[in-house]
Amino acid sequence: MLVQTYKDMLGAKSVIRDLAGAAVERGKEIGYENVFDYSLGNPSVPVPDEFNRSIIRMIGEMDSQSLHGYSPNPGIPEVRDIVAANLKRRFGIPYTREHIFMTSAAASALAHAFRLVTEPGDEIITFAPFFPEYRPYVNLTGAVLKVVKPDTETFQINFDEFEKMISDKTMAILINSPNNPSGIVYSEETVKRLSDVLRAAQKEYSHPIYIISDEPYREIVFDGKEAPCISKYYDNTIMCYSYSKSLSIPGERIGYMAVNPAAEGADLMVSMAVQISRGIGHNCPSSIIQRAVAENIDLTSDLSIYETNMNLIYDKLVELGFTVVRPGGTFYIFPKALEDDAIAFSKKALKYDLVLVPGDSFGAPGFFRMAYCIDTEKVKRSLPVLERFVKEEYGK
Amino acid sequence: MLVQTYKDMLGAKSVIRDLAGAAVERGKEIGYENVFDYSLGNPSVPVPDEFNRSIIRMIGEMDSQSLHGYSPNPGIPEVRDIVAANLKRRFGIPYTREHIFMTSAAASALAHAFRLVTEPGDEIITFAPFFPEYRPYVNLTGAVLKVVKPDTETFQINFDEFEKMISDKTMAILINSPNNPSGIVYSEETVKRLSDVLRAAQKEYSHPIYIISDEPYREIVFDGKEAPCISKYYDNTIMCYSYSKSLSIPGERIGYMAVNPAAEGADLMVSMAVQISRGIGHNCPSSIIQRAVAENIDLTSDLSIYETNMNLIYDKLVELGFTVVRPGGTFYIFPKALEDDAIAFSKKALKYDLVLVPGDSFGAPGFFRMAYCIDTEKVKRSLPVLERFVKEEYGK
């Protein structure tokens, strides 16, 4: 019989998808260039030419079986070596091939990480605002996702709430810095405090508590800064990475899980991930794509447009009187709506062809997300419209 | 804590992997060209040039976001259209886009299919000899894999055993024709009888029983024949396909699940598969690979070498007095060993640099598998060695 769990999920509405759909429909009427669609986190800058050239070169030079043949389950050994060496060089952590497990982007890395360290009934804690997919990702493993309410002043961690939530059932903490949807980057102070709290909790409950660090936005950090590398502060860290954003290749489904060599069980985790793959039908990402990212390990797309867009939008929001935390990275910003009901706010904005996503599904009602991975020219055209919307609807 | 289920799996030995490892080691000593390695089902013929040319052309012509951007969860709509039209044309079944769900090859299609129709505790029946990975694939979903003993005369279905095994808990039947490891193709008679038995069981137990039809070898059928298309005989069929063998691209991880439009719940199943993906971290196969298979939907690699190899090996085995069912397809053959213990038989063969896989893990002790996806020249060189092995060890 068709399984009820999945049948029941079909009814659920996704506000983001509905809005994106509305934007496309409206685009058919007035031209999509006239819809200020801030709904989707789809990278707008092109992949570096070098990436495509690598693919063409490999097709010309490699024999079919080497290029398109089976990759070993944890990924192509040379690719894992290159990823490990890159992480070691950047973060000073002694990763080797044995700690790297190539995955079909971050979703797949997370699916393995959750299953490595939680059994059904165990708890994973995450912090609002958070990527809404975390809920089905975790709950469908049988583990339970617990959400700490946001610190809406800073979107750093609300430690008071967090410490109350930790219990013997807590097996992992799921974090995402730089953060979707807030755009903030956890400060070194936050990461240190988080690590201290967890080390104390590990002692109290006599079992490891792992940080599962979802880092697809790691390369998109503003003001010339770098995001603190979680693994440097906390041994029991499982890093989940995706090249979707850094190389603008979300459709190619490529990323990895990197186990901190100092983590408890680090020597077993990649082999265990191979076993997990058998159960969930994962068998490596595409070989040619694995090789192409490895050949361009130090490259990213030109990500500077996101900072340009952020500054334009942030300045305008401040000018218009919005309460908003300045993003430290990503291509998202997460201001407070001008009325308590962010869904009503977003619906009004839609009349101005501004597509803004209410924060409710991110665990932060009253806020809204703008994904500014769109052309700067369009961002510029949207600002007077934003101003008109605010003035006409809210008299500001 | 690291999850015990996966930790426990680490100890398990894979005879196939051990043998493949031994073959590689021996290859280092005497040159791999002198090891007659019949252990692995890794396609030896190249991908058609057209496939690679499609990739190069798309890189030249398409913009980055269209080529490398997010594919919708069930796959790229045009790709699904092309797959559906191809299946409709070939098999006369009215598939449309709504019945096609693109996957990371057959393993991923199976992972979705199992979860669509079974809850933990439900039973899936399969028939020995069978692909050993079916066991972890099914058991890790929480469902239970029941195995019907082989009909060693024909390797068609042992219906007496099968009918005894069906119960109210039976939610799906997992079949694989053309079959790994036996190489046999289910006859029309077998498929008709299987369908009749299942229709009766559906009535008796008042719930649907789905056939999950794993068809990666569908295009490798000998003597100018075609394998009977299961969906034509039984409505509740979920077809799981992979391009790994037909296009020799196992590393690119591409295939699909095709739901028979007449199946109970056919209109829901692809949407439900999207929900399943969220739980298991699947998010479409690579976009560029999806497009490349769609552009070459009617092509296969030159698969004729497998038939050539089969005939050479089959004739020699018969000449040497082996009991063996002539394969109707695939690149496997599954003869009876010359002693009861096929593991001992394989170990003796190894002394002659013949790598043969004992049938125990396929659910058919006493038999052995040869995967003849290797150069015909090497097959020819191996035959006198096989003869010498048989004469010296078994005095035949």
Side-chain angles (χ1 to χ4, degrees):
Chain A
M1 265 174 294
L2 297 199
V3 169
Q4 202 58 36
T5 312
Y6 300 111
K7 234 185 198 172
D8 288 345
M9 290 173 77
L10 296 181
K13 282 275 173 195
S14 158
V15 180
I16 303 180
R17 239 177 300 150
D18 285 354
L19 281 168
V24 171
E25 284 309 305
R26 181 68 175 143
K28 284 178 191 160
E29 290 169 33
I30 61 167
Y32 187 70
E33 69 281 7
N34 297 313
V35 181
F36 303 110
D37 184 1
Y38 287 108
S39 68
L40 285 182
N42 211 347
S44 56
V45 294
V47 69
D49 284 342
E50 290 86 340
F51 180 88
N52 285 335
R53 280 204 295 268
S54 288
I55 292 177
I56 294 172
R57 196 192 52 68
M58 287 188 286
I59 287 176
E61 290 178 6
M62 289 176 73
D63 71 88
S64 181
Q65 211 171 355
S66 306
L67 182 58
H68 298 300
Y70 278 115
S71 136
N73 287 333
I76 298 171
E78 308 87 276
V79 171
R80 294 163 68 206
D81 283 342
I82 290 169
V83 168
N86 171 269
L87 289 175
K88 187 177 169 185
R89 197 165 57 241
R90 283 186 61 183
F91 302 117
I93 297 168
Y95 290 102
T96 66
R97 177 195 296 186
E98 281 64 37
H99 307 107
I100 307 298
F101 181 78
M102 300 305 296
T103 63
S104 300
S108 160
L110 291 169
H112 286 85
F114 297 149
R115 285 165 174 83
L116 270 177
V117 299
T118 65
E119 311 237 24
D122 288 344
E123 293 180 359
I124 298 178
I125 298 178
T126 197
F127 304 98
F130 67 101
F131 180 46
E133 286 296 295
Y134 286 166
R135 219 179 264 287
Y137 285 6
V138 169
N139 291 344
L140 288 173
T141 68
V144 179
L145 186 72
K146 308 276 282 184
V147 179
V148 176
K149 280 189 195 138
D151 170 347
T152 55
E153 298 294 307
T154 63
F155 294 127
Q156 300 286 325
I157 288 176
N158 179 341
F159 278 99
D160 290 343
E161 289 274 343
F162 173 46
E163 292 188 49
K164 276 183 234 156
M165 204 174 269
I166 302 175
S167 78
D168 188 39
K169 285 186 167 176
T170 309
M171 293 297 160
I173 311 298
L174 171 59
I175 63 174
N176 173 223
S177 164
N179 181 265
N180 173 11
S182 73
I184 65 91
V185 176
Y186 283 170
S187 65
E188 189 174 23
E189 191 196 334
T190 295
V191 177
K192 278 186 174 164
R193 189 166 163 195
L194 173 65
S195 305
D196 288 342
V197 169
L198 290 179
R199 274 188 287 264
Q202 291 191 131
K203 238 180 223 159
E204 183 174 351
Y205 298 112
S206 305
H207 64 71
I209 300 176
Y210 291 89
I211 291 183
I212 297 173
S213 180
D214 181 23
E215 308 187 3
Y217 301 99
R218 187 175 67 206
E219 320 306 344
I220 314 178
V221 180
F222 306 145
D223 306 313
K225 292 189 182 158
E226 279 233 339
C229 172
I230 312 299
S231 295
K232 283 173 77 167
Y233 298 86
Y234 189 70
D235 286 347
N236 282 335
T237 297
I238 304 171
M239 179 195 286
C240 295
Y241 187 72
S242 163
Y243 291 95
S244 296
K245 274 65 181 185
S246 61
L247 286 171
S248 298
I249 50 170
E252 305 307 347
R253 315 307 304 145
I254 178 84
Y256 57 80
M257 185 177 80
V259 175
N260 191 334
E264 211 171 313
D267 54 327
L268 295 179
M269 284 160 97
V270 166
S271 307
M272 287 172 66
V274 170
Q275 304 306 321
I276 292 169
S277 287
R278 298 164 89 183
I280 63 179
H282 179 267
N283 269 31
C284 325
S286 151
S287 299
I288 198 168
I289 302 295
Q290 284 190 58
R291 291 184 193 279
V293 294
E295 279 207 0
N296 298 285
I297 194 77
D298 291 316
L299 275 189
T300 67
S301 297
D302 176 4
L303 305 169
S304 63
I305 178 183
Y306 302 133
E307 186 160 2
T308 304
N309 290 354
M310 183 279 288
N311 279 313
L312 286 166
I313 294 168
Y314 176 76
D315 289 348
K316 190 68 182 183
L317 288 167
V318 170
E319 181 197 318
L320 294 174
F322 279 89
T323 301
V324 56
V325 181
R326 187 171 182 273
T330 76
F331 39 58
Y332 305 108
I333 192 167
F334 201 60
K336 199 166 189 310
L338 295 178
E339 58 183 297
D340 287 348
D341 182 351
I343 298 174
F345 174 83
S346 292
K347 277 189 183 152
K348 284 177 194 161
L350 214 49
K351 293 191 287 180
Y352 296 79
D353 299 315
L354 283 166
V355 189
L356 315 174
V357 177
D360 300 64
S361 61
F362 300 98
F367 290 78
F368 66 96
R369 188 187 79 169
M370 298 173 75
Y372 45 83
C373 41
I374 63 175
D375 284 351
T376 301
E377 174 274 327
K378 201 172 188 179
V379 170
K380 285 181 180 164
R381 280 194 290 124
S382 78
L383 299 181
V385 179
L386 182 67
E387 181 161 347
R388 192 158 61 80
F389 157 58
V390 169
K391 291 215 162 122
E392 289 180 8
E393 298 290 332
Y394 298 95
K396 286 211 175 186
Chain B
M1 264 174 298
L2 296 198
V3 169
Q4 202 58 37
T5 312
Y6 301 110
K7 234 186 200 172
D8 289 345
M9 290 173 75
L10 297 181
K13 283 276 173 194
S14 159
V15 180
I16 304 181
R17 238 176 301 149
D18 284 356
L19 281 169
V24 171
E25 284 309 306
R26 180 69 176 145
K28 284 179 193 162
E29 290 169 33
I30 61 168
Y32 186 69
E33 69 282 6
N34 296 313
V35 182
F36 304 109
D37 184 359
Y38 286 108
S39 68
L40 284 182
N42 211 348
S44 56
V45 295
V47 69
D49 284 343
E50 290 86 340
F51 180 88
N52 285 335
R53 280 204 295 269
S54 288
I55 292 177
I56 293 171
R57 197 192 51 69
M58 288 188 285
I59 286 175
E61 289 178 6
M62 290 177 71
D63 71 88
S64 180
Q65 211 171 353
S66 305
L67 182 58
H68 298 300
Y70 278 114
S71 137
N73 286 333
I76 297 170
E78 309 88 276
V79 172
R80 293 163 67 206
D81 283 343
I82 290 169
V83 169
N86 171 269
L87 290 176
K88 187 178 171 185
R89 197 165 56 241
R90 284 186 60 182
F91 302 117
I93 298 169
Y95 290 102
T96 65
R97 177 194 296 186
E98 281 64 37
H99 308 108
I100 308 298
F101 180 78
M102 301 305 295
T103 62
S104 300
S108 161
L110 291 169
H112 286 86
F114 298 148
R115 285 165 175 83
L116 270 177
V117 299
T118 65
E119 311 237 23
D122 288 345
E123 292 180 358
I124 299 178
I125 298 177
T126 198
F127 304 97
F130 67 103
F131 179 47
E133 285 296 295
Y134 287 167
R135 218 179 263 287
Y137 285 6
V138 169
N139 290 344
L140 288 172
T141 69
V144 179
L145 186 73
K146 308 276 280 183
V147 180
V148 177
K149 281 190 197 136
D151 170 347
T152 55
E153 298 295 308
T154 63
F155 294 127
Q156 300 284 327
I157 288 176
N158 178 341
F159 278 99
D160 290 343
E161 289 275 342
F162 173 46
E163 292 187 51
K164 277 183 234 157
M165 205 174 268
I166 302 175
S167 78
D168 188 40
K169 285 185 167 175
T170 309
M171 293 298 160
I173 311 298
L174 171 58
I175 63 175
N176 172 223
S177 165
N179 180 265
N180 173 12
S182 73
I184 66 92
V185 176
Y186 282 171
S187 66
E188 190 175 23
E189 192 196 334
T190 296
V191 177
K192 278 185 173 164
R193 188 165 166 197
L194 173 65
S195 305
D196 288 342
V197 169
L198 290 180
R199 275 188 286 264
Q202 290 191 133
K203 238 180 223 160
E204 182 174 351
Y205 298 112
S206 305
H207 63 71
I209 300 176
Y210 292 89
I211 291 182
I212 298 173
S213 180
D214 181 22
E215 308 188 1
Y217 301 98
R218 187 175 67 206
E219 319 307 344
I220 313 178
V221 179
F222 306 145
D223 308 312
K225 294 191 181 156
E226 280 233 339
C229 172
I230 313 297
S231 295
K232 283 174 78 166
Y233 299 86
Y234 190 70
D235 287 348
N236 282 336
T237 297
I238 305 171
M239 179 195 284
C240 295
Y241 187 71
S242 163
Y243 291 94
S244 296
K245 272 68 179 184
S246 62
L247 286 171
S248 300
I249 49 170
E252 305 307 349
R253 314 308 304 147
I254 179 84
Y256 56 80
M257 186 178 80
V259 175
N260 191 334
E264 209 171 315
D267 53 327
L268 296 179
M269 284 160 97
V270 166
S271 307
M272 286 173 66
V274 170
Q275 304 306 320
I276 292 169
S277 288
R278 298 165 88 184
I280 63 178
H282 180 268
N283 270 34
C284 326
S286 151
S287 299
I288 199 168
I289 302 295
Q290 284 190 58
R291 292 184 192 278
V293 294
E295 280 208 0
N296 298 286
I297 193 76
D298 291 317
L299 276 188
T300 67
S301 297
D302 176 4
L303 305 168
S304 62
I305 178 183
Y306 302 133
E307 186 160 1
T308 306
N309 290 354
M310 183 278 290
N311 280 315
L312 286 167
I313 294 169
Y314 176 77
D315 289 347
K316 191 68 184 182
L317 288 167
V318 170
E319 181 197 318
L320 294 174
F322 280 89
T323 299
V324 56
V325 181
R326 187 172 181 274
T330 75
F331 38 59
Y332 305 108
I333 191 166
F334 201 61
K336 199 164 188 313
L338 295 179
E339 58 183 298
D340 287 347
D341 181 350
I343 298 174
F345 174 83
S346 293
K347 276 188 186 156
K348 283 177 194 160
L350 214 49
K351 292 190 287 178
Y352 296 78
D353 299 316
L354 283 166
V355 190
L356 314 174
V357 177
D360 300 63
S361 61
F362 301 98
F367 290 78
F368 67 97
R369 186 186 80 168
M370 296 173 76
Y372 45 84
C373 41
I374 63 176
D375 285 351
T376 302
E377 175 273 327
K378 201 172 188 177
V379 171
K380 285 181 180 163
R381 281 193 289 124
S382 78
L383 298 180
V385 180
L386 182 67
E387 182 162 346
R388 192 159 58 83
F389 157 58
V390 169
K391 292 214 163 124
E392 289 180 8
E393 299 290 333
Y394 299 94
K396 285 211 177 187

